Amino acid sequence: MMVNVQGPWSPLIGRLSLGAIPDNPIIAGAFLFSAVLGVVILGYLTFGHKWGYLWREWLTTVDHKKIGVMYILIGLVMLFRGFIDAVMMRTQQVLADGPHSPGFLGAAHGYLLPYHFDQIYSAHGTIMILFAATPILVGLMNIIVPLQIGSRDMAFPYLNALGLWLTAVGAALIMLSLFLGDFSHAGWVGLTPLTEMAYSPGVGVDYWIWAIQIASVGTTLGAANLIATIIKMRAPGMTWSRLPIFTWTSLSTNIIALTSFPVLGVALGLLGADRYFGTHFFTAGLGGNLMLYADLFWIWGHPEVYFVILPAFGMMSEIIPTFAEKPLFGYATMVAASFAIAGVSWSVWLHHFFTMGAGPSVNTFFSIATMIVGIPTGVKVFNWAFTVYHGRSRFETPMLWAVGALFMLLLGGLTGMMLAMPPINYSVHNSVFVVAHFHTMLMVVIYGIMGAVAYWFPKVFGFKLDEPLGKRFFWFFTAGTIMVFIPMYTSGFMGMTRRLDYIANPALLPFEIAEEIGIGLYVVSVYYFVRQLFVSVRDRASHRVGADAWGSARTLEWLTPSPVPFYNYAVTPRVHARDELVWRREQGLEAATAAHYEDILMPKNTPVPLVIGAFAMTLGFGLVWRIWWLTDASFLGIILTVIARSFVRDTDYVVRAGEVRKIEQGLRGNTPGTGGDGTQGGVGVWRPQESGS
């Protein structure tokens, strides 16, 4: 029997009504901006006759490179949304500091009502962790891992596309909650009992549950796919001792994902049962246990921290040797450290609630376990330092981001060691000191991502990003990071708690002003990032690159043309050394071409993952608004689509050897500095020639 809900309900539209449209000028402005942007995009696609191209080349693709690019685009859009939330929170706190601070737009202090502020910080955390950092990292792993191991695609291309569209559905539900209904006000962790129906009778928590639940299924599928790809799809000679470090960190990361995201699914499933069926798994006083939810969530939540940071470590381990022009120091210890971090990540979750009264023995165990994480992390830091030592370091944009990530890791790691001590944790628990530490660690991820985007961008698109604008982006972003989080560490020590829409102590105003200045510097950095993309695309003809965009790359992916053709490698490479490209360069084989080509079997594009994603979207929407006929129809649609797909046997096509030779000859003519058509350096190189099937 379903739980009765407050307000009207009808069999046709469930809880939907005109009252679900928020009456808020800020949200109205966001809707107007989104509507105008949507009209511009639709107009471009329609009048530019791009719909056919979009359908054939992107919406139905199973090419791991294009899927990776779309993951990154989703992550960047959500990163922008999460950043806007951060701007609004910081501005609210600087305006609502002290009893005499003025109020605007109906607020007693500042310009945000408390309930609206609660939704913003809840959305900010959810978006930045699960819908910005995670999709971008998964996208980079999608693009780079198959190239680094000499594979033509992922082990399961169809499953790869399905994971993408399920992630997109989760992001779309969160964006929809901005304009229809509301979002959770219980924090990104879903604090119980606030998420129970008695305290959150609206649809906000339901949006939060189903957005994460659907997207986490996609992440789990992607993790299994990447693990299978690394284990089974390696080129001849690509032994375990020759795997690039980024591939090793991707493997450890996805082992974490495959084993932890199902735990999150269980936690959200039990919470959903409480809200929809009236069970009491987490209802104190009715047989439930609030700490059960905290344990389940953080058993996923802390391995998730290493899920996002281990790929960043791998990115740093690729960038630093390239620009230091030296082999990575301590390869074996780097691999061991990655798996040590992944293993220890499962034994530290309780440090998130040292104050719950578990007792000194339990707190001591989790304190020591947390400190142990610093050992393999320290191994990595020293290895990066020794790699740079006596190297010929070139501080191009990717290297700047990698070095910045190293400094963020030192600051975040040291404050993490402080928080691992229960007495200090008791003093600063639930303060913005903890927020500053957590964000500093996430800055390692952001710096790693930005360095990786600058580093691998020419491999994907065939031209470099503008270097001067990239450096301006880096320096303004770094200045903003310093100005936001150093004052936050200080105010946290002074007792400022987190999640405050109004700050009663006027003595904290100078720190809030400093943080607002930092936000302003972030805004400037975003301007330079957007300008860098625009200028780079505009001037792409003058920024063309060859296979090795940096002239000192070391791993296998830099052997392929830039951009990479849809089949990745015309001939499956044979790997001879850990730094394969360096070995070939020393042997004079870097530019060697194949004497003989063979037919290549490639997967066909399919609309099925997109169709399943569309059904998942209506399923999530129906569950949020309790439109049961829509929920049933969507679930049935998913099942029937999966069954129908199982009868399809014609899923591959053949690229004939002669066509491969022709494409390769065209690519060899694509030298840096030349323009050319799509075959000579645009994304047209990726276009599958399914006519050969």
Side-chain angles (χ1 to χ4, degrees):
M1 183 174 178
M2 305 301 293
V3 172
N4 291 326
V5 296
Q6 294 182 4
W9 179 88
S10 73
L12 182 62
I13 59 173
R15 304 183 73 182
L16 268 176
S17 67
L18 291 177
I21 301 174
D23 182 17
N24 185 299
I26 299 173
I27 294 176
F31 177 78
L32 182 62
F33 171 79
S34 301
V36 171
L37 183 61
V39 169
V40 170
I41 294 173
L42 291 175
Y44 170 75
L45 293 172
T46 302
F47 294 106
H49 306 287
K50 300 292 185 182
W51 284 108
Y53 167 78
L54 184 65
W55 176 262
R56 291 189 309 272
E57 305 299 333
W58 294 93
L59 298 181
T60 61
T61 189
V62 293
D63 185 334
H64 71 98
K65 299 177 292 297
K66 290 183 178 179
I67 288 173
V69 169
M70 287 189 283
Y71 264 119
I72 293 171
L73 287 175
I74 292 170
L76 288 176
V77 169
M78 299 306 288
L79 185 68
F80 178 76
R81 161 73 194 279
F83 173 68
I84 295 299
D85 288 340
V87 172
M88 294 177 69
M89 286 189 290
R90 295 272 68 80
T91 305
Q92 166 67 17
Q93 290 188 332
V94 79
L95 291 176
D97 198 318
H100 302 295
S101 56
F104 309 94
L105 301 178
H109 302 278
Y111 70 105
L112 292 175
L113 297 172
Y115 185 66
H116 190 191
F117 182 86
D118 293 348
Q119 293 179 60
I120 289 172
Y121 76 67
S122 301
H124 172 75
T126 304
I127 288 170
M128 288 305 208
I129 295 291
L130 287 164
F131 295 99
T134 297
I136 294 175
L137 292 169
V138 172
L140 287 166
M141 288 186 283
N142 255 278
I143 294 170
I144 302 304
V145 167
L147 295 175
Q148 284 198 331
I149 65 175
S151 173
R152 297 205 188 282
D153 209 308
M154 299 282 280
F156 308 107
Y158 160 74
L159 203 65
N160 197 25
L162 181 58
L164 165 72
W165 292 114
L166 292 178
T167 301
V169 167
L173 284 173
I174 287 185
M175 297 299 275
L176 184 62
S177 72
L178 185 62
F179 308 122
L180 195 62
D182 53 20
F183 194 67
S184 172
H185 64 111
W188 82 275
V189 303
L191 297 170
T192 51
L194 293 180
T195 48
E196 295 288 334
M197 186 62 80
Y199 299 95
S200 297
V203 297
V205 172
D206 299 322
Y207 267 122
W208 177 81
I209 287 174
W210 295 113
I212 297 176
Q213 192 75 284
I214 293 172
S216 68
V217 172
T219 304
T220 305
L221 294 176
N225 201 354
L226 271 161
I227 292 170
T229 300
I230 295 170
I231 292 174
K232 300 294 293 183
M233 305 293 286
R234 287 172 287 144
M238 181 62 77
T239 61
W240 289 113
S241 63
R242 292 174 179 169
L243 277 184
I245 292 294
F246 179 70
T247 300
W248 272 118
T249 57
S250 297
L251 179 60
S252 58
T253 290
N254 284 286
I255 291 173
I256 290 174
L258 187 63
T259 51
S260 67
F261 272 90
V263 179
L264 176 64
V266 169
L268 295 180
L270 296 178
L271 179 60
D274 280 6
R275 291 184 58 83
Y276 285 81
F277 300 114
T279 57
H280 298 290
F281 291 105
F282 308 127
T283 309
L286 292 171
N289 188 336
L290 299 179
M291 288 310 302
L292 172 62
Y293 177 82
D295 276 307
L296 285 174
F297 183 89
W298 285 113
I299 285 174
W300 162 81
H302 208 87
E304 160 70 8
V305 173
Y306 299 104
F307 169 85
V308 296
I309 208 166
L310 279 170
F313 289 167
M315 296 163 191
M316 296 164 67
S317 297
E318 301 292 346
I319 294 170
I320 290 174
T322 295
F323 292 95
E325 300 186 17
K326 279 181 59 182
L328 180 69
F329 184 90
Y331 173 90
T333 56
M334 277 293 205
V335 174
S338 298
F339 281 87
I341 291 171
V344 176
S345 72
W346 285 96
S347 61
V348 298
W349 81 89
L350 196 133
H351 71 216
H352 287 275
F353 33 93
F354 270 145
T355 59
M356 76 173 186
S361 58
V362 173
N363 285 355
T364 299
F365 172 85
F366 283 93
S367 174
I368 294 172
T370 303
M371 293 182 187
I372 287 174
V373 177
I375 298 174
T377 305
V379 168
K380 286 182 174 287
V381 171
F382 281 109
N383 283 350
W384 290 322
F386 289 139
T387 302
V388 175
Y389 183 66
H390 279 185
R392 296 183 294 274
S393 297
R394 308 188 331 257
F395 287 96
E396 297 180 50
T397 304
M399 186 64 162
L400 289 177
W401 287 109
V403 173
L406 180 57
F407 279 98
M408 290 295 112
L409 178 60
L410 291 173
L411 177 59
L414 290 172
T415 54
M417 290 299 100
M418 295 171 62
L419 290 170
M421 304 176 189
I424 296 178
N425 198 295
Y426 268 72
S427 299
V428 298
H429 181 76
N430 210 34
S431 76
V432 293
F433 182 91
V434 178
V435 176
H437 157 71
F438 184 56
H439 280 77
T440 306
M441 295 305 295
L442 286 180
M443 281 298 150
V444 179
V445 180
I446 297 299
Y447 273 72
I449 284 172
M450 292 305 172
V453 168
Y455 181 61
W456 279 304
F457 186 94
K459 176 51 58 182
V460 178
F461 293 101
F463 59 92
K464 285 185 179 181
L465 290 171
D466 186 82
E467 187 72 11
L469 289 172
K471 289 182 176 178
R472 292 181 195 177
F473 171 39
F474 168 80
W475 287 115
F476 274 101
F477 190 92
T478 300
T481 300
I482 294 170
M483 288 299 296
V484 169
F485 296 113
I486 297 301
M488 195 177 291
Y489 278 117
T490 308
S491 58
F493 266 133
M494 294 178 66
M496 179 176 171
T497 56
R498 62 204 301 189
R499 310 185 189 97
L500 293 178
D501 72 297
Y502 166 67
I503 301 168
N505 184 3
L508 297 174
L509 182 59
F511 302 105
E512 299 303 313
I513 292 174
E515 292 171 29
E516 188 74 2
I517 292 172
I519 288 292
L521 293 170
Y522 273 145
V523 171
V524 175
S525 75
V526 171
Y527 161 75
Y528 279 117
F529 176 62
V530 174
R531 185 179 173 189
Q532 180 193 27
L533 292 176
F534 172 77
V535 170
S536 301
V537 173
R538 184 193 65 191
D539 301 337
R540 60 189 178 277
S542 60
H543 291 91
R544 294 286 182 203
V545 295
D548 182 2
W550 306 105
S552 55
R554 312 186 70 83
T555 44
L556 191 61
E557 74 270 24
W558 298 102
L559 185 64
T560 62
S562 301
V564 186
F566 61 88
Y567 48 73
N568 290 356
Y569 295 93
V571 176
T572 300
R574 179 167 291 278
V575 179
H576 307 85
R578 184 176 296 158
D579 291 335
E580 176 66 14
L581 189 57
V582 175
W583 183 89
R584 295 193 180 213
R585 194 180 294 135
E586 292 172 348
Q587 303 298 319
L589 300 174
E590 184 179 7
T593 58
H596 173 71
Y597 296 97
E598 296 180 352
D599 293 349
I600 297 176
L601 188 68
M602 294 296 296
K604 281 186 174 181
N605 287 356
T606 173
V608 174
L610 179 62
V611 172
I612 294 176
F615 279 128
M617 181 67 191
T618 55
L619 174 66
F621 185 81
L623 286 166
V624 167
W625 291 98
R626 301 179 187 238
I627 308 174
W628 302 125
W629 67 266
L630 181 61
T631 300
D632 295 341
S634 301
F635 187 65
L636 181 62
I638 292 173
I639 293 174
L640 293 177
T641 304
V642 171
I643 293 174
R645 166 69 183 184
S646 69
F647 286 96
V648 177
R649 290 290 179 264
D650 184 20
T651 58
D652 301 302
Y653 70 101
V654 176
V655 185
R656 301 301 178 189
E659 188 174 359
V660 176
R661 179 181 295 277
K662 181 180 177 181
I663 294 172
E664 288 294 305
Q665 288 173 348
L667 290 171
R668 285 197 294 272
N670 179 28
T671 56
T674 62
D677 58 15
T679 305
Q680 294 295 322
V683 292
V685 177
W686 302 352
R687 188 170 299 120
Q689 305 298 320
E690 296 187 7
S691 58
S693 59

